[in-house]
Every structure is written in structure tokens, then in C-alpha cells.
């Protein structure tokens, strides 16, 4: 009997589009006055290749274990374009880096002129 279910989408990056200086990712905290920005180095074009459903199930012995059910996706794949965040030396989707608990909630990407552009 399933007591808890969660879902994951498995996106694969198929293209990276570098962004010029000035583009930043914006992360918001519960306090509207508290906002963090970090450079947004690129946009990632990704395809949805598979989906997983995880269920917590009880075994006959009464223990709880997690079972994974994978559904493969076929072309034409669903696509998305997301802002990248540099994390541990790799480009990862900014919303996922926030979800991993390394930042507050991802709010979006915006352009802030660099000091050189203001001269």
C-alpha cells in the first residue's frame, strides 16, 4: 500500500547558449527584502527523456522501501529553456539548484547593466 508518492522529470541538456555579462539569476527568500543574485552564465535547452514515480511501500515484514517506476519518453520530446546556475563546476538549471536547498526559491533571470555599460 502506497503511503507517499513523488515524481521526478529527467531533463537532458541538448544545447547551451552563453549569455553576456549582466544577466543574473534572482533568488527570493520568505522576506521580500532579502534577495540574492548570482551571475547567469547561460540558457540551457533541455529535452524531457523520462519520468519517474517513486512510491513508499510497506513490505511483508513491515519495513518501508521506495520503489521507482520509470516511464521513457519518445520523440518529439517536450522541451524547455531554463536559466543556468554554476554549481560545483557544472552548469545546472537554476530552479533545480534552488530546490536542492543551496539557494532560496528561484524567482527568475534579469539583466543588470555592468559597471562598464554605465560609463
Amino acid at each position: 500500500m502506497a503511503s507517499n508518492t513523488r515524481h521526478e522529470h529527467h531533463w537532458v541538456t541538448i544545447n547551451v547558449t552563453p549569455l553576456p555579462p549582466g544577466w543574473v539569476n534572482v533568488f527570493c527568500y520568505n522576506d521580500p527584502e532579502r534577495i540574492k543574485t548570482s551571475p547567469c552564465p547561460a540558457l540551457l535547452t533541455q529535452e524531457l527523456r523520462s519520468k519517474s514515480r517513486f512510491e513508499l511501500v510497506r513490505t511483508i515484514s513491515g519495513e518501508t522501501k521506495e520503489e521507482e517506476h520509470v516511464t521513457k519518453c519518445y520523440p518529439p520530446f517536450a522541451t524547455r529553456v531554463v536559466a543556468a546556475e554554476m554549481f560545483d563546476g557544472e552548469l545546472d538549471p537554476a530552479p533545480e539548484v534552488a530546490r536542492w536547498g543551496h539557494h532560496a526559491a528561484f524567482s527568475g533571470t534579469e539583466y543588470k547593466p555592468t559597471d562598464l555599460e554605465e560609463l
Side-chain angles (χ1 to χ4, degrees):
M1 174 168 107
S3 60
N4 192 12
T5 303
R6 67 182 173 90
H7 300 271
E8 284 186 10
H9 290 96
H10 305 281
W11 295 93
V12 174
T13 299
I14 60 167
N15 188 40
V16 176
T17 304
L19 292 177
W23 285 96
V24 295
N25 293 318
V26 180
F27 300 91
C28 298
Y29 294 82
N30 290 336
D31 177 1
E33 300 295 318
R34 193 167 169 220
I35 295 174
K36 178 188 181 293
T37 62
S38 63
C40 180
L43 297 176
L44 307 176
T45 303
Q46 298 184 317
E47 293 181 337
L48 181 60
R49 297 296 179 93
S50 64
K51 301 175 189 179
S52 291
R53 185 180 84 245
F54 296 89
E55 291 182 285
L56 288 178
V57 296
R58 290 205 189 278
T59 63
I60 294 172
S61 64
E63 296 176 1
T64 302
K65 70 174 189 171
E66 187 174 65
E67 288 184 355
E68 179 181 12
H69 306 278
V70 178
T71 303
K72 186 176 177 180
C73 299
Y74 296 93
F77 297 109
T79 59
R80 70 177 185 176
V81 175
V82 293
E85 176 81 358
M86 185 62 74
F87 181 74
D88 282 346
E90 295 182 9
L91 291 176
D92 288 306
E96 291 179 18
V97 172
R99 194 179 77 228
W100 298 335
H102 299 285
H103 292 303
F106 178 69
S107 177
T109 301
E110 63 182 49
Y111 182 74
K112 292 189 173 193
T114 62
D115 294 338
L116 295 176
E117 293 176 317
E118 294 174 351
L119 296 178

